[in-house]
Amino acid sequence: MKTIPNRVYLTEDELPKQYYNIAADMPTRPKPYLNPVTKEPVQPDDLAPLFAKELIAQEVSTERYIDIPKQVREIYAKFRPSPLIRAYGLEKALDTPAKIYYKYEGNNPSGSHKLNSAIPQAFYNKAEGVRRLTTETGAGQWGSALSIAAQMFGLECTVYMVRVSYEQKPYRRTLMQTYGANVIASPSTLTNAGRAILEKDPDSLGSLGIAISEAVEDAVMRDDTHYALGSVLNHVILHQTIIGLEAKKQFEKIDEYPDIVIGCNGGGSNFSGCAFPFLHDKLKNGAKTEFVAVEPAACPKLTKGKFAYDYGDTAKMAPIAMMYTLGHDFVPAGIHAGGLRYHGDSALLSQLYHDGYVSAAAVRQTDVFKAAVLFARSEIILPAPESAHAIAYAIQKALECRETGEAKTIFFNLSGHGDFDLAAYEEYLAGRLQDFEYTDEMLEKCFSTLPEID
Amino acid sequence: MKTIPNRVYLTEDELPKQYYNIAADMPTRPKPYLNPVTKEPVQPDDLAPLFAKELIAQEVSTERYIDIPKQVREIYAKFRPSPLIRAYGLEKALDTPAKIYYKYEGNNPSGSHKLNSAIPQAFYNKAEGVRRLTTETGAGQWGSALSIAAQMFGLECTVYMVRVSYEQKPYRRTLMQTYGANVIASPSTLTNAGRAILEKDPDSLGSLGIAISEAVEDAVMRDDTHYALGSVLNHVILHQTIIGLEAKKQFEKIDEYPDIVIGCNGGGSNFSGCAFPFLHDKLKNGAKTEFVAVEPAACPKLTKGKFAYDYGDTAKMAPIAMMYTLGHDFVPAGIHAGGLRYHGDSALLSQLYHDGYVSAAAVRQTDVFKAAVLFARSEIILPAPESAHAIAYAIQKALECRETGEAKTIFFNLSGHGDFDLAAYEEYLAGRLQDFEYTDEMLEKCFSTLPEID
């Protein structure tokens, strides 16, 4: 007899009222961000043209818990608390004694966890009198989230969308427009950064780096406008801890606790949001839980990168951060179909990985899609390829349990659905996806771009 | 202060254990289906080559409640019970005293309520030793649902997909393939029906009618294969009552009851699934609730059709049913972007409409998309265009309440999400959608195809 339901829900009343800030509990805090020009530590004022004061305060806060504003919780309540799901179907398909759980963040119109941070970012900007937000987007997950959040608080939103995606993936563009965003193909003629690129190459397909430069320039040039980022930064990760905080309550309800916590890793907010509230227990109470950040073999910053000061962006406009990085010029091999493409990582997660509290694993994309299809067929939900990195590793662990007979409790973050990723699924089903691993030589070349910091 | 949460959930234990069969409570039951060749009443045995015995029994049952098998409830539990949501955002946007609620059926990988019937259909076929299911699909909503359900019970599934959709909407095709279905562009060379079309027109783009003929022929020709239909039939509507049964429990929890129940109307299963459990109270206890089936002005079978015996399909292979119809050759005007294109309607719903227990309204597609965008921006969920027909009418009613000051409780079925409909949203946002209404002359021409039945 089943004693645990398929899904553990929380009521709206049980929605967490505070975010968890791991900076309060870290034995070693991350080194400060450096100004990309002066290479001196960044001061809060340096960030004021880009971010709301409250978000800057969160970026450097060492308070353990930070209140979630009531207005943010009201919007969260339109799609949160998200369910914690027991993967009975997957367990059966794997014939494993392991108990597999996942938190499902795809039940919102942005399709992923990104909305968790877009909402407070929009709120704090609105509260401080900002009228308009800018951001960049590649495939469109973050741009969709910010468009939706801006609409909820009556802010204008301009999204610089990498031109090749703008043209080839019109659906994400239309989604953003439906929520009222102004979507601009990048490079555009609206910014100096865009015009400079177009002068050299009028047919430029754009890149995330260029789109970031345009969004930042747009925000800096206008008093009524701020910029918003969807991962990497401490305040983004702070907001994402809502995932892990809810999950802890849900596990309490069924009197369980994970032995392994798994999340995929791009800029770090997906993994960290899910894992940090549990990592709190390890840092404070010595819990034995294992934490694994899973990245693509095609973008292996934790498993093969360097822990070093590096620029946050290709254009060297963003702050320099101490982090695991593949070098700021790194671009994943063209055959890589999924996201998780950022060259660096969250400073918080990097430090915790460096200090041994978190481990990492790299998975190949054919294994990722194989896991995604198995998951869809056994658990019914179509996962985003990014989230399927976590699934692939969870499956690996569950199969190990089958060998050893251990009934470990495995928990991962299913950060989004795959409705907008069916082109990649098609490539996989047609056998056209290949794997790629970087040689040491290739990586050394990437590292040669790292800045020298005294 | 809010006393009612944004979302009313039920636990897995509260998932209904029986479907509701309105045939038990109808003052006048629908006239029997007729054999399309002999025009004699269809006997259960006539349907045996196509459907599982248990489904045929449900088709003609007059039992009020029919058990939901445990195995079906286990799969339901992967995405049900679905939330009942109070539309606080929409109410605010409309400045209405009305209380608006909706049941959200989009939180599953098929993206709509269709999965509610696909699962029991797959189950009963599996239980009777069927190895393989066939069906047809246009845009792909039903094909996706059946592909998923078949996979859950280890059945093979072949979907005949209208060729123009197969080629122009590859994502739905890939979705079905991800869940293991064999998707065939229709017309195909695999059936006599398909070959006959291709002989006349090798470049045929296909139609739903042709795809039905192929799927039915395929099922009839093979002993191990049955056919599955996604709407119209009594047993499909029976399965969809899970929506309304859950909603009734949810309304009980918050001590509310709808004054108006609204659903969009294609083949009838969306509206009926939501409305029939409430209509029970009207039929048995004289509840004053108003029921409105909302259809596109471009396919106005209830509001402008005839209550007559007509063929279920263009090819005249399906049974003849007494229903509201625009004639079996009817095809909505090309400018119509959404679904809800079926020429006829459920026999159950037709009879209830004819007898005055249900009313109907037709809405124009520009109003539908206007409502859809307002809904997305205020309620955060991106609605399917089909579901947005119900939204458009609910908005109309809520605005009437603003005029009269009445605080009516309006309830509608949000049957699916719009992730796969962004091309239509794009058309709307670009101002390229137009409205269309049929003249009496046009309709008379449609009706001229109705069969003569003694």
Side-chain angles (χ1 to χ4, degrees):
Chain A
M1 276 304 292
K2 280 185 195 176
T3 51
I4 295 169
N6 273 275
R7 298 187 158 216
V8 185
Y9 281 106
L10 298 175
T11 65
E12 222 167 293
D13 292 341
E14 293 171 303
L15 189 75
K17 293 186 174 57
Q18 296 183 307
Y19 297 119
Y20 168 61
N21 178 15
I22 202 162
D25 293 319
M26 289 171 74
T28 309
R29 293 202 182 115
K31 289 193 180 174
Y33 298 135
L34 305 182
N35 182 302
V37 180
T38 66
K39 299 186 181 170
E40 295 296 317
V42 166
Q43 301 303 317
D45 278 358
D46 297 347
L47 301 171
L50 290 180
F51 301 112
K53 284 183 192 63
E54 198 64 41
L55 294 170
I56 297 169
Q58 291 178 355
E59 190 65 25
V60 296
S61 170
T62 55
E63 290 293 315
R64 183 168 291 115
Y65 294 104
I66 294 178
D67 287 348
I68 306 175
K70 185 173 151 286
Q71 297 90 327
V72 170
R73 283 188 284 123
E74 279 175 10
I75 308 291
Y76 277 164
K78 290 181 184 288
F79 63 100
R80 307 203 67 85
S82 70
L84 177 73
I85 306 179
R86 173 78 182 263
Y88 283 113
L90 182 61
E91 289 172 21
K92 197 176 156 198
L94 298 173
D95 189 23
T96 176
K99 290 176 282 184
I100 307 174
Y101 292 89
Y102 55 97
K103 185 82 168 157
Y104 183 41
E105 294 291 310
N107 276 349
N108 74 67
S110 82
S112 81
H113 70 297
K114 295 276 183 188
L115 195 53
N116 297 332
S117 181
I119 289 167
Q121 289 194 52
F123 167 76
Y124 287 117
N125 276 292
K126 176 76 176 183
E128 293 180 19
V130 170
R131 216 177 54 75
R132 182 169 167 271
L133 291 175
T134 65
T135 198
E136 71 288 336
T137 206
Q141 215 172 52
W142 168 245
S144 302
L146 193 69
S147 301
I148 292 165
Q151 176 62 239
M152 293 298 131
F153 290 103
L155 290 168
E156 287 181 36
C157 182
T158 293
V159 180
Y160 291 88
M161 186 175 192
V162 176
R163 184 176 295 275
V164 62
S165 297
Y166 183 93
E167 284 168 4
Q168 292 180 3
K169 297 182 179 174
Y171 296 144
R172 276 283 187 190
R173 181 187 76 209
T174 303
L175 184 69
M176 293 184 265
Q177 289 166 335
T178 299
Y179 287 93
N182 182 20
V183 186
I184 312 278
S186 167
S188 78
T189 56
L190 300 181
T191 66
N192 291 326
R195 284 188 294 266
I197 298 287
L198 289 173
E199 222 161 84
K200 277 189 252 171
D201 176 9
D203 299 324
S204 167
L205 295 175
S207 74
L208 209 51
I210 298 167
I212 292 175
S213 302
E214 291 202 80
V216 167
E217 182 185 326
D218 181 331
V220 169
M221 297 299 287
R222 286 180 53 167
D223 279 347
D224 65 349
T225 301
H226 272 164
Y227 168 75
L229 194 67
S231 190
V232 181
L233 296 179
N234 302 346
H235 68 268
V236 180
I237 285 170
L238 177 78
H239 305 151
Q240 293 296 354
T241 60
I242 187 101
I243 302 170
L245 290 163
E246 283 181 10
K248 277 182 80 171
K249 285 195 190 188
Q250 287 161 314
F251 275 115
E252 265 168 41
K253 285 206 171 193
I254 53 171
D255 207 18
E256 286 259 23
Y257 195 90
D259 297 308
I260 311 172
V261 177
I262 300 165
C264 66
N265 178 41
S269 78
N270 183 324
F271 170 81
S272 305
C274 174
F276 283 3
F278 293 93
L279 192 52
H280 165 269
D281 299 346
K282 183 169 188 161
L283 294 171
K284 300 304 285 180
N285 316 325
K288 297 286 179 224
T289 316
E290 196 182 332
F291 294 88
V292 188
V294 186
E295 59 192 14
C299 190
K301 53 215 165 196
L302 289 182
T303 51
K304 296 202 171 172
K306 273 204 176 149
F307 188 52
Y309 261 122
D310 193 10
Y311 296 99
D313 66 331
T314 317
K316 303 185 189 179
M317 289 170 67
I320 296 172
M322 187 69 184
M323 61 182 175
Y324 280 85
T325 178
L326 294 163
H328 55 271
D329 286 336
F330 177 86
V331 179
I335 56 157
H336 178 59
L340 312 175
R341 298 166 159 268
Y342 188 57
H343 69 278
D345 214 319
S346 142
L348 292 169
L349 174 56
S350 292
Q351 188 67 49
L352 287 160
Y353 175 61
H354 183 253
D355 294 343
Y357 296 103
V358 168
S359 59
V363 288
R364 294 177 306 178
Q365 70 175 352
T366 53
D367 290 334
V368 165
F369 278 91
K370 187 178 168 193
V373 171
L374 175 63
F375 186 83
R377 293 182 181 182
S378 55
E379 281 298 311
I380 222 169
I381 296 170
L382 183 77
E386 292 80 11
S387 320
H389 286 73
I391 299 172
Y393 189 78
I395 287 175
Q396 205 174 302
K397 284 285 155 184
L399 292 176
E400 283 173 27
C401 286
R402 185 167 74 184
E403 294 306 309
T404 62
E406 286 173 290
K408 282 190 182 172
T409 299
I410 299 171
F411 169 52
F412 67 87
N413 190 23
L414 187 71
S415 56
H417 66 59
D419 283 5
F420 293 105
D421 303 289
L422 284 162
Y425 274 92
E426 190 179 3
E427 290 296 294
Y428 170 71
L429 292 173
R432 287 193 294 263
L433 284 191
Q434 289 177 309
D435 292 316
F436 187 85
E437 282 190 53
Y438 292 91
T439 61
D440 290 346
E441 201 184 351
M442 285 164 145
L443 291 169
E444 279 312 315
K445 204 174 155 194
C446 294
F447 298 145
S448 68
T449 65
L450 294 176
E452 281 179 35
I453 307 290
D454 301 327
Chain B
M1 274 304 293
K2 282 185 196 175
T3 51
I4 294 169
N6 273 276
R7 299 186 158 216
V8 185
Y9 282 107
L10 298 175
T11 65
E12 221 167 294
D13 292 341
E14 293 171 304
L15 189 74
K17 293 184 175 56
Q18 296 183 309
Y19 297 119
Y20 168 62
N21 179 14
I22 202 160
D25 293 320
M26 288 171 74
T28 311
R29 293 204 182 114
K31 289 194 181 172
Y33 298 135
L34 305 182
N35 182 302
V37 179
T38 64
K39 299 187 182 170
E40 295 297 318
V42 165
Q43 299 305 315
D45 278 358
D46 296 347
L47 300 172
L50 289 181
F51 301 111
K53 284 183 192 64
E54 197 65 42
L55 295 170
I56 297 169
Q58 291 178 357
E59 190 65 24
V60 296
S61 170
T62 55
E63 290 293 315
R64 182 167 292 115
Y65 294 103
I66 293 180
D67 287 347
I68 306 176
K70 185 172 152 284
Q71 296 91 326
V72 170
R73 284 189 284 121
E74 279 175 9
I75 307 292
Y76 277 163
K78 290 180 182 290
F79 63 100
R80 305 202 71 83
S82 70
L84 177 73
I85 305 178
R86 172 78 182 265
Y88 282 114
L90 182 62
E91 289 173 20
K92 197 176 155 197
L94 298 172
D95 190 23
T96 176
K99 289 175 282 183
I100 308 174
Y101 292 89
Y102 54 96
K103 185 83 170 155
Y104 182 41
E105 294 291 310
N107 276 348
N108 74 65
S110 82
S112 82
H113 70 297
K114 295 276 182 187
L115 194 53
N116 297 331
S117 180
I119 289 168
Q121 290 196 52
F123 167 76
Y124 288 117
N125 276 291
K126 175 76 178 184
E128 293 181 19
V130 169
R131 214 177 54 75
R132 183 169 167 270
L133 291 176
T134 66
T135 197
E136 71 288 338
T137 205
Q141 217 173 50
W142 167 244
S144 301
L146 193 69
S147 301
I148 293 166
Q151 176 60 238
M152 293 297 132
F153 291 104
L155 289 168
E156 285 181 38
C157 182
T158 292
V159 180
Y160 290 88
M161 185 174 192
V162 177
R163 184 176 295 275
V164 62
S165 298
Y166 182 93
E167 283 167 5
Q168 291 180 6
K169 297 182 179 173
Y171 296 144
R172 277 280 188 192
R173 181 188 76 207
T174 302
L175 184 70
M176 293 185 263
Q177 289 166 333
T178 299
Y179 287 93
N182 182 21
V183 187
I184 311 278
S186 166
S188 77
T189 57
L190 301 181
T191 65
N192 291 326
R195 283 188 295 267
I197 298 287
L198 289 174
E199 222 163 83
K200 278 190 252 171
D201 177 8
D203 299 323
S204 166
L205 295 175
S207 74
L208 209 52
I210 298 167
I212 292 175
S213 303
E214 290 204 80
V216 167
E217 181 184 328
D218 181 331
V220 170
M221 296 300 286
R222 285 179 55 166
D223 281 347
D224 64 350
T225 301
H226 272 163
Y227 168 74
L229 194 68
S231 190
V232 182
L233 296 178
N234 302 347
H235 67 269
V236 180
I237 284 169
L238 176 79
H239 305 151
Q240 293 296 354
T241 60
I242 187 101
I243 302 170
L245 290 163
E246 283 181 8
K248 277 182 81 170
K249 285 195 190 191
Q250 287 162 316
F251 274 114
E252 267 168 40
K253 285 207 170 192
I254 53 171
D255 208 18
E256 287 259 23
Y257 194 91
D259 297 308
I260 312 172
V261 177
I262 300 165
C264 65
N265 179 40
S269 78
N270 184 325
F271 170 81
S272 306
C274 174
F276 283 2
F278 292 94
L279 191 51
H280 164 269
D281 300 346
K282 183 168 189 162
L283 294 171
K284 298 305 283 180
N285 316 325
K288 295 287 178 224
T289 315
E290 196 182 330
F291 295 88
V292 189
V294 187
E295 59 191 15
C299 189
K301 53 214 163 195
L302 290 182
T303 52
K304 298 203 170 172
K306 274 207 174 143
F307 189 52
Y309 261 122
D310 193 11
Y311 297 99
D313 66 333
T314 315
K316 304 186 189 180
M317 290 171 66
I320 296 172
M322 187 69 184
M323 60 182 176
Y324 280 85
T325 178
L326 294 162
H328 55 272
D329 286 335
F330 177 86
V331 179
I335 57 156
H336 178 60
L340 312 175
R341 298 166 159 269
Y342 188 57
H343 69 277
D345 216 317
S346 142
L348 292 168
L349 175 57
S350 292
Q351 188 67 49
L352 288 159
Y353 176 62
H354 184 255
D355 293 344
Y357 296 103
V358 168
S359 60
V363 289
R364 295 177 304 177
Q365 69 175 353
T366 54
D367 291 333
V368 166
F369 278 91
K370 188 180 168 192
V373 170
L374 175 63
F375 185 84
R377 292 183 182 182
S378 56
E379 280 299 309
I380 222 168
I381 296 170
L382 183 79
E386 292 80 12
S387 320
H389 286 73
I391 299 172
Y393 189 79
I395 287 175
Q396 206 173 301
K397 284 285 155 187
L399 291 176
E400 283 173 27
C401 286
R402 186 167 73 184
E403 294 307 309
T404 62
E406 286 173 291
K408 283 191 182 172
T409 299
I410 299 171
F411 169 53
F412 67 88
N413 190 24
L414 187 70
S415 56
H417 67 60
D419 283 5
F420 293 106
D421 303 289
L422 284 161
Y425 275 91
E426 191 180 3
E427 291 295 295
Y428 170 71
L429 292 173
R432 288 193 293 265
L433 284 190
Q434 289 177 309
D435 292 316
F436 187 84
E437 282 189 53
Y438 292 90
T439 62
D440 289 346
E441 199 183 351
M442 285 164 144
L443 291 169
E444 280 311 316
K445 205 173 155 196
C446 295
F447 299 144
S448 68
T449 65
L450 293 176
E452 281 179 37
I453 307 289
D454 302 327

